[in-house]
Amino acid sequence: MKPALRIEPALLPALAAFECVARHASFSRAAAEMGLSASALSQSMRTLEQRLGVRLLARTTRRVGLTEEGARVLDGVRRGLAELGGAIETLDEVRDQPSGTVRITLSRLAYVRLFAPHVASFAERYPAVGLEFALDDGLTDIVAEGFDAGVRLGGNIEADMVAVPISTPERLATVAAPAYFARRPPPQTLEDLAAHDCSRFRYITSGRVARWFYQREGRPVELEVNGRFVVNDLDAELDLARRGLVLAQVIESMAAEDIRSGRLVTVLESYAPSLSRAYLYFPRSTQMPPRLRVFIDHFLAANEEGREQGKTGADEPKAVSL
């Protein structure tokens, strides 16, 4: 018994051409529809018949008809082409109506400040689109980890990504609780930090402990500080400062309410450095999924005021017009 014949993907163009010839009962008319020469189409049919081991078409000088085997094959080919057409139509629906899930990696701070206030309006406007937020203060390879987009400060974005600003520039603040300063005098210079119990932040991805950053006489300064507490979460670092345990360097906006209320006190303000803006970034693609397109448009528009303010730093990627 001969093994069952398997239809390989390479035969699909020839089977579609066979359906066209059978529908027109003419090589010349089918060739015109497909943009081929009649001789090339005829050769394609002979090759298909040899591969299948049966005659599909009965040729005469006046017309082209179907053999009995050809009629049976044609019925299956038409059903298959109809199913393929239905699959293509579902793509049309997807293009017209955004659906699916957008996966984004970002810091907790970026989620709270830039996304959380606008999630409800997005969900109402695009009910078929789900959002998965992976809150991580480390650096994530969005392509390797299967994310659609990410949010980072400008200097940390790969050059082959499309990046658009979504926030104002931030500032680093050195803070501690009044209870901490009741035990130690506030530092007046950067050199005074050596006598303080400083919180230290360990990056999740690299495992290294972050240095503290300052600016003195217009020049950046990096310091390795000492302290008993090491964390890998910005909220935990801020909590240690609120409890009077450490002197901490945090993003100023994170501590804004604590500073206003007096729970935290800022020091070394004349040395406080500015950070670049946060950028929403994603891989460059000629066919962006509609769900990602509406996600980007919605949250950029929602943060429009923040994107329009501030000056782009030298370490930031060039903003890309979308």
Side-chain angles (χ1 to χ4, degrees), residues 39-105:
S39 59
L41 187 55
S42 179
Q43 179 58 48
S44 176
M45 291 301 95
R46 284 193 291 270
T47 301
L48 177 63
E49 289 174 329
Q50 290 172 2
R51 176 67 182 86
L52 298 180
V54 295
R55 284 185 63 210
L56 301 174
L57 298 168
R59 304 165 176 85
T60 68
T61 55
R62 290 190 167 188
R63 67 184 299 274
V64 177
L66 290 169
T67 64
E68 181 180 347
E69 293 80 7
R72 283 160 42 188
V73 170
L74 179 62
D75 183 56
V77 167
R78 284 178 170 163
R79 287 199 305 271
L81 291 175
E83 290 183 10
L84 289 173
I88 299 300
E89 287 178 3
T90 63
L91 292 180
D92 290 334
E93 294 174 1
V94 169
R95 282 192 291 267
D96 295 336
Q97 177 62 44
S99 62
T101 299
V102 177
R103 301 185 69 232
I104 178 171
T105 174

Side-chain angles (χ1 to χ4, degrees), residues 13-28:
L15 290 169
F18 164 62
E19 188 280 332
C20 190
V21 171
R23 178 161 33 89
H24 287 288
S26 166
F27 277 101
S28 59

Side-chain angles (χ1 to χ4, degrees), residues 77-309:
V77 167
R78 284 178 170 163
R79 287 199 305 271
L81 291 175
E83 290 183 10
L84 289 173
I88 299 300
E89 287 178 3
T90 63
L91 292 180
D92 290 334
E93 294 174 1
V94 169
R95 282 192 291 267
D96 295 336
Q97 177 62 44
S99 62
T101 299
V102 177
R103 301 185 69 232
I104 178 171
T105 174
L106 70 172
S107 68
R108 290 163 178 78
L109 176 64
Y111 173 75
V112 170
R113 291 191 61 223
L114 305 174
F115 291 88
H118 314 297
V119 168
S121 59
F122 180 87
E124 182 178 0
R125 186 172 182 182
Y126 302 105
V129 179
L131 300 178
E132 179 180 341
F133 292 102
L135 306 187
D136 187 349
D137 294 321
L139 300 180
T140 302
D141 184 332
I142 64 172
V143 174
E145 298 297 327
F147 288 100
D148 297 292
V151 176
R152 286 185 192 168
L153 296 180
N156 296 320
I157 299 175
E158 295 86 345
D160 60 346
M161 292 286 168
V162 178
V164 288
I166 192 171
S167 78
T168 58
E170 289 279 4
R171 203 169 76 126
L172 286 176
T174 305
V175 299
Y180 177 88
F181 289 130
R183 301 191 307 273
R184 301 169 187 256
Q188 302 298 319
T189 68
L190 299 186
E191 287 71 24
D192 292 343
L193 289 174
H196 283 268
D197 202 351
C198 302
S199 67
R200 293 182 293 159
F201 183 89
R202 187 182 299 278
Y203 292 109
I204 296 173
T205 47
S206 67
R208 70 180 181 86
V209 175
R211 295 180 175 183
W212 284 22
F213 293 89
Y214 292 97
Q215 192 167 289
R216 179 159 49 189
E217 298 178 354
R219 301 172 67 88
V221 177
E222 294 185 23
L223 298 176
E224 290 187 1
V225 296
N226 298 312
R228 293 176 294 162
F229 297 94
V230 180
V231 296
N232 63 2
D233 180 85
L234 296 176
D235 287 330
E237 188 171 28
L238 194 58
D239 181 68
L240 289 173
R242 292 189 188 109
R243 295 177 185 277
L245 296 172
V246 298
L247 185 68
Q249 187 177 60
V250 298
I251 296 174
E252 190 173 46
S253 61
M254 287 187 65
E257 181 56 36
D258 292 292
I259 294 170
R260 281 193 295 269
S261 68
R263 285 190 296 269
L264 293 176
V265 178
T266 60
V267 294
L268 301 174
E269 291 193 49
S270 62
Y271 299 97
S274 294
L275 300 174
S276 65
R277 290 184 283 184
Y279 278 72
L280 177 63
Y281 69 101
F282 45 91
R284 190 179 303 276
S285 173
T286 56
Q287 295 295 331
M288 180 184 291
R291 61 183 178 273
L292 180 57
R293 171 79 276 170
V294 297
F295 170 83
I296 292 170
D297 289 345
H298 183 87
F299 287 99
L300 288 182
N303 289 281
E304 181 71 26
E305 182 179 350
R307 293 192 295 119
E308 291 299 325
Q309 298 174 359

